[in-house]
Amino acid sequence: MTNVNTYRTDAESSSSRPPSMADVAAVAGVSHQTVSRVLNDHPNVREGTRVRVLEAIKELGYRRNLAARALATAQTRTIGILTIGSEFFGPQSTVLAVEAAARAQGYFVTVTSMDSYDIGAAVTALNHLTDQSVDGVVVVAPHDQVTEAIDELKLKVPVVVVAARTNVLENDPVHYVYVDQRDGARQATEHLISLGHQKIVHVSGPTGWFDATERKIGWGETMAAAGYDAVEFPAESWLAPSGYDAGVSLAPRVKAGEITAVFASNDYLAIGLLRAFWEAGVSVPEDVSVVGFDDLQIAEFYIPKLTTVRQPFGDVGRAALAELLNDDPASSGPRMIAPTMIVRASTAPPARS
């Protein structure tokens, strides 16, 4: 305790100077190197020593000089995230998961959001991140223009992309992490077929998006395998108004018996469909079954509760960070995460053959 009291007297006489690592070492009665080991969570520190150092840090209000540490190690402990607009549920949920996982690993996160999806905007955003000397970049923008920009730039830091890109070269330095979109679409379509549906329309997502492409392929392959015609209705965006517009166009065909089920490429489109069908006097699931994709929180509270494919966005975010921090080149290559079919009240057997 004598050391603590003496330090406080010295500190009070020079209060303009923030406490240093040497001050912590003096109070805890350990070496400068031991304090460094505790701060870096090194395993070779006795528990009693670790407790003394942590108590000294708390008592003195010591804060690490991250700028000095970055200069000494050539690392900033900062990860850059490139994402797209906040109106997209899946990417934003993934960004939050990456940020939480990075924070748990002692990393800071800097986020840059794109307002358009052309190569020029992606290059500008990626350069903005690398100019901040980030240690690595996680890209949560599953659009083909963004991956083209990444291929063009050949960034000098590790890069992980959250996108269902299947045409990845074997020695590509960029790593990909994603939910198996094709399998999710297959599960959704097989669920409808198992109920007896044959006339299944797919309201597909906008062009250029890997997820939309993979879901369309999974649906088309499953319909072909069952011997049924694959009828697509392309949506202009991922948002509910596009689903509503699709529903307005499809409602008369449902009433005519030409369609008994709709697989929407995401939940927002599905919710727009439900609204349009309700306004047109089309009952779900009595007249038509509807399946979405993502499992938004609202999906369980809509009327009827929406059958959908759940994407584990938290798992994707954590996997993306783990891949970014993984130095083992043998583990490179796309990492797929399985989706889950969630059956609720918006699907049922067709009312008429």
Side-chain angles (χ1 to χ4, degrees):
M1 294 301 296
T2 302
N3 288 338
V4 175
N5 291 333
T6 301
Y7 172 77
R8 283 180 175 170
T9 301
D10 293 341
E12 288 168 1
S13 65
S14 57
S15 58
S16 61
R17 179 179 66 83
S20 66
M21 193 181 295
D23 297 327
V24 175
V27 170
V30 298
S31 68
H32 180 281
Q33 289 80 3
T34 298
V35 175
S36 177
R37 290 191 186 99
V38 172
L39 289 170
N40 290 298
D41 201 24
H42 197 283
N44 295 334
V45 180
R46 292 179 180 178
E47 186 59 28
T49 302
R50 186 185 304 276
V51 170
R52 286 208 316 277
V53 171
L54 293 176
E55 287 178 348
I57 289 172
K58 182 178 180 181
E59 182 169 356
L60 299 177
Y62 169 75
R63 296 180 68 86
R64 304 178 77 178
N65 188 333
L66 295 177
R69 185 181 187 281
L71 290 172
T73 64
Q75 290 185 326
T76 62
R77 300 290 292 183
T78 302
I79 291 171
I81 300 179
L82 175 61
T83 186
I84 52 181
S86 59
E87 71 271 21
F88 296 107
F89 174 78
Q92 290 310 306
S93 298
T94 304
V95 167
L96 291 175
V98 173
E99 185 177 18
R103 192 166 56 248
Q105 292 284 343
Y107 282 84
F108 291 93
V109 170
T110 179
V111 180
T112 294
S113 180
M114 297 173 54
D115 54 7
S116 62
Y117 313 125
D118 58 277
I119 293 179
V123 168
T124 299
L126 288 165
N127 283 330
H128 173 72
L129 287 174
T130 54
D131 286 346
Q132 299 178 55
S133 300
V134 296
D135 297 331
V137 175
V138 177
V139 179
V140 191
H143 196 280
D144 57 13
Q145 296 289 293
V146 179
T147 57
E148 285 188 34
I150 294 169
D151 293 342
E152 179 181 309
L153 282 177
K154 302 186 185 306
L155 299 175
K156 302 300 183 184
V157 297
V159 178
V160 171
V161 180
V162 179
R165 188 181 189 183
T166 56
N167 61 336
V168 181
L169 298 177
E170 184 176 350
N171 297 319
D172 195 329
V174 177
H175 292 193
Y176 287 82
V177 174
Y178 56 89
V179 173
D180 191 341
Q181 307 292 329
R182 195 175 300 192
D183 179 61
R186 187 179 299 116
Q187 290 185 47
T189 310
E190 287 177 348
H191 167 67
L192 291 170
I193 291 173
S194 71
L195 292 173
H197 293 281
Q198 300 179 14
K199 304 170 185 178
I200 305 170
V201 169
H202 178 44
V203 176
S204 57
T207 57
W209 294 79
F210 291 109
D211 293 354
T213 300
E214 288 296 296
R215 293 169 196 174
K216 177 180 174 181
I217 292 172
W219 160 78
E221 288 178 346
T222 307
M223 292 292 286
Y228 303 146
D229 293 334
V231 180
E232 177 191 3
F233 191 101
E236 294 183 1
S237 77
W238 287 112
L239 303 179
S242 290
Y244 177 86
D245 292 342
V248 170
S249 298
L250 295 175
R253 297 175 63 184
V254 172
K255 291 180 177 180
E258 299 173 10
I259 299 169
T260 65
V262 180
F263 165 44
S265 197
N266 77 349
D267 285 353
Y268 284 124
L269 292 172
I271 288 171
L273 281 163
L274 293 178
R275 174 69 185 221
F277 288 157
W278 176 77
E279 290 183 357
V282 173
S283 180
V284 178
E286 289 78 10
D287 298 326
V288 63
S289 288
V290 176
V291 177
F293 206 110
D294 282 342
D295 195 25
L296 297 174
Q297 185 182 48
I298 196 175
E300 190 175 3
F301 296 92
Y302 214 78
I303 300 176
K305 294 181 179 181
L306 182 64
T307 295
T308 185
V309 177
R310 176 178 295 163
Q311 298 201 73
F313 295 113
D315 293 346
V316 173
R318 289 185 288 272
L321 183 72
E323 194 73 18
L324 189 71
L325 301 181
N326 185 6
D327 294 327
D328 182 8
S331 66
S332 63
R335 181 174 176 180
M336 287 195 302
I337 297 172
T340 305
M341 188 73 207
I342 305 297
V343 178
R344 298 194 180 104
S346 66
T347 53
R352 51 185 170 230
S353 59

